[in-house]
Amino acid sequence: MEGKGEDRTSGATPAQLVEELCQSFLRARSRTLSPTIVDVADESEVAVMRELAIPGNQARPMRQTIEDMLRIMSHRVAMEHPKFFGFIPSPVHESSLLGHVISTMFNIHAGSWYESSGPSAVEDAMVKWLAQRAGLPASAGGIFVSGGSIANLTAIVTARDTRLSFEQRAKAVIYVSEQTHSSVQKALDIAGFHATQTRRVECDKLYRLQPSSLRRLIAADREAGYIPFLVVATCGLTNTGGIDPIPEIAKVAETEDLWLHVDGAYGASVILSKQHSNLAEGVGRAHSLSWDAHKWLFQTYGCGVVLVREARHLIQSFATSASYIQDADEASSAEVNFWNRGIELTRPVRAMKLWFTLQVLGLDKIGEFIDHGIGLAELVQQAFEKLENWTIITSARLGIVNFSYVAWLEGPDGERTEDVSLSERVNVEVSKRAIAQNIAAPLTTRLSGSLNLRMCTISPSLGRDDIIEVVHALDTLATTVSAEMN
């Protein structure tokens, strides 16, 4: 085994190279505003990477392999960059990086208590604590999963198995809104429901699901012989940051005997806010809740959780061997086998990096970080309201604000009307140029059919002065672009 554990060309051990790599990465990361926000590989770079993807017969020097890996990984959207405002960013705290590294070093199989009694004890306690913070009862339980998509799927399968017989599934109907995340319909498809079984509930002017429309649809479906069984509300709409009226939806669900699932992948973290936790009112009335720590709890990807009002319902859906594990025993036991609570048998430790961050920062700091993101979006709104030719499409909510540059046409009588086509082209070009010039990355979306710019401002590393600079830079770009297009 000559040369075992050693890079034959450099003399450095793998451990030394990893240490050097981590130090270099953290030094670069401390200069947060300098990296390229969006780096999409061109055709020649893609060709090189495809060639690098194929392993050779002989070993390559580790240092060169590390350099190649860094080159490959650099072609990405820096979701953690404080000036990336698209989708839902993932501003990772350094403590999560370290927690992730430590978890990976141990390479624990977190499926059963026997294989992972330490991490399983922490995960179970954290699940119960998160459920308690959300307002769920002591009977609640859950499991850490890869993210909101699997959390939603896990909840939907649990709801299906709890509320429907096999024969009833074909007549079951599900209620969502036009703003419900696409992962919900994907989960419904996987769970065996046809798209025609999904009802789109009307939204109000703030793009929130309307309880009155929900009631009408339920009544019509019952009259037609269908079986209403599930309604999905959202705490933190991806487009607007809005929150569906969960208390009113919960009342409908309770009256009509529907399972209420709350997709809180983004917005459930407001529960830990110091100033705005009241926005999550009603979440504790849900039968299930999805919650992503890799969105607004500053974790690396692959850290979500699904909480269910009755832990036994998860076990009834996912227990792997009824011959030696009884549902009641598993539900009441302190020795939790998480492979009986979710889809995966072999699963990594996911909870420990969040535990590490919460221990290192403390809840007060986490709450301040969340409030900071909410305040930045409010500041963006205030700044654009002071500028000419900008309009706010949806007010700042949960760190998200939608806005648009308006291009005007002046008629013979001096009256101004919006040139909708030009406005859209200006907003698209502003986004493209801001990204190309590495100013920031605000992306576009559509609300009620109209295109606008959108910012999600949840990075704790972004200061109030920084966000004002971004607003004025976007205004300068819009003025330039509009003049060119005119």
Side-chain angles (χ1 to χ4, degrees):
M1 299 294 291
E2 184 179 351
K4 181 182 178 181
E6 190 173 351
D7 183 359
R8 294 186 294 274
T9 60
S10 68
T13 65
Q16 289 170 332
L17 288 169
V18 169
E19 183 179 359
E20 176 187 313
L21 176 63
C22 289
Q23 289 175 344
S24 299
F25 176 76
L26 290 175
R27 280 197 300 270
R29 195 173 183 275
S30 67
R31 303 188 293 274
T32 326
L33 300 181
S34 60
T36 302
I37 304 171
V38 177
D39 185 341
V40 179
D42 61 28
E43 289 184 12
S44 63
E45 291 162 335
V46 168
V48 170
M49 289 185 289
R50 289 188 183 280
E51 187 175 343
L52 282 170
I54 310 303
N57 292 326
Q58 303 301 316
R60 299 176 66 220
M62 183 175 287
R63 191 180 295 277
Q64 180 60 53
T65 305
I66 289 174
E67 289 176 3
D68 286 340
M69 189 167 184
L70 292 176
R71 177 182 178 185
I72 293 166
M73 300 294 280
S74 69
H75 296 297
R76 86 285 182 250
V77 174
M79 301 290 287
E80 79 286 354
H81 195 288
K83 291 184 179 178
F84 178 77
F85 303 120
F87 314 121
I88 302 297
S90 181
V92 177
H93 191 268
E94 289 182 1
S95 60
S96 179
L97 296 172
L98 185 53
H100 193 154
V101 168
I102 296 171
S103 297
T104 303
M105 286 169 59
F106 278 89
N107 193 36
I108 290 173
H109 185 308
S112 73
W113 182 269
Y114 177 74
E115 293 164 301
S116 60
S117 56
S120 288
V122 171
E123 179 171 350
D124 187 42
M126 286 190 68
V127 161
K128 291 175 180 175
W129 173 75
L130 289 168
Q132 180 267 325
R133 292 299 298 254
L136 293 168
S139 57
I143 182 173
F144 275 76
V145 293
S146 61
S149 293
I150 299 301
N152 288 336
L153 175 60
T154 303
I156 286 168
V157 169
T158 305
R160 180 199 68 188
D161 295 348
T162 303
R163 293 301 180 94
L164 300 172
S165 68
F166 182 80
E167 292 73 20
Q168 290 176 318
R169 293 182 188 181
K171 287 192 173 184
V173 287
I174 303 97
Y175 303 91
V176 303
S177 85
E178 63 178 20
Q179 294 295 317
T180 301
H181 197 272
S182 60
S183 65
V184 170
Q185 185 57 54
K186 191 172 188 177
L188 289 167
D189 295 342
I190 296 169
F193 297 102
H194 194 273
T196 56
Q197 293 176 262
T198 301
R199 305 288 186 262
R200 300 283 174 182
V201 184
E202 292 179 4
C203 291
D204 61 19
K205 293 180 180 179
L206 298 177
Y207 302 96
R208 303 175 305 176
L209 187 151
Q210 284 189 326
S212 58
S213 176
L214 174 62
R215 289 191 191 93
R216 287 195 298 271
L217 286 173
I218 292 171
D221 283 328
R222 288 200 192 282
E223 188 173 344
Y226 293 109
I227 304 173
F229 98 99
L230 170 66
V231 58
V232 179
T234 305
C235 180
L237 296 165
T238 302
N239 255 343
T240 67
I243 297 176
D244 287 333
I246 295 173
E248 291 87 346
I249 295 170
K251 185 175 181 180
V252 175
E254 290 159 5
T255 302
E256 299 287 349
D257 194 28
L258 270 63
W259 181 288
L260 170 60
H261 173 62
V262 174
D263 181 358
Y266 170 52
S269 293
V270 79
I271 290 167
L272 302 183
S273 158
K274 292 175 70 70
Q275 300 175 12
H276 304 284
S277 59
N278 62 298
L279 295 176
E281 180 187 359
V283 165
R285 296 168 70 177
H287 296 91
S288 54
L289 169 68
S290 58
W291 186 347
D292 277 355
H294 60 226
K295 285 187 170 71
W296 213 359
L297 292 180
F298 318 108
Q299 299 303 293
T300 59
Y301 283 122
C303 190
V305 66
V306 57
L307 304 173
V308 176
R309 191 172 196 83
E310 299 291 335
R312 61 188 174 84
H313 290 151
L314 278 177
I315 298 159
Q316 288 163 359
S317 284
F318 297 104
T320 56
S321 180
S323 64
Y324 68 88
I325 298 176
Q326 298 300 310
D327 291 348
D329 292 339
E330 173 75 4
S332 61
S333 173
E335 298 182 357
V336 179
N337 297 301
F338 280 108
W339 58 26
N340 286 331
R341 298 195 177 194
I343 296 167
E344 298 170 298
L345 293 180
T346 304
R347 58 189 295 270
V349 170
R350 293 191 175 99
M352 291 305 299
K353 59 187 177 184
L354 176 59
W355 170 86
F356 194 87
T357 295
L358 294 174
Q359 296 293 319
V360 169
L361 292 179
L363 286 178
D364 285 349
K365 182 58 68 175
I366 291 288
E368 289 171 11
F369 282 172
I370 294 169
D371 291 336
H372 178 72
I374 292 173
L376 287 180
E378 293 170 349
L379 195 59
V380 168
Q381 176 177 339
Q382 294 163 12
F384 275 118
E385 286 174 337
K386 295 176 182 177
L387 298 173
E388 291 185 19
N389 301 321
W390 291 92
T391 185
I392 300 299
I393 305 300
T394 61
S395 297
R397 293 184 183 86
L398 284 189
I400 296 176
V401 60
N402 285 271
F403 53 95
S404 179
Y405 183 83
V406 180
W408 299 101
L409 285 174
E410 190 166 327
D413 55 0
E415 286 191 10
R416 295 199 309 167
T417 56
E418 182 183 358
D419 185 334
V420 175
S421 175
L422 180 57
S423 293
E424 289 203 358
R425 286 186 286 128
V426 170
N427 282 289
V428 169
E429 188 63 21
V430 166
S431 175
K432 288 181 178 178
R433 293 194 189 185
I435 292 169
Q437 296 174 28
N438 212 43
I439 294 170
L443 301 186
T444 61
T445 189
R446 285 190 180 274
L447 291 167
S448 301
S450 298
L451 182 140
N452 60 265
L453 289 161
R454 171 189 169 282
M455 288 171 64
C456 183
T457 62
I458 59 174
S459 175
S461 301
L462 190 65
R464 293 173 68 86
D465 290 341
D466 297 323
I467 201 74
I468 294 297
E469 286 181 8
V470 169
V471 169
H472 288 290
L474 296 179
D475 182 51
T476 300
L477 283 176
T479 302
T480 302
V481 171
S482 181
E484 291 173 0
M485 290 185 174
N486 271 322

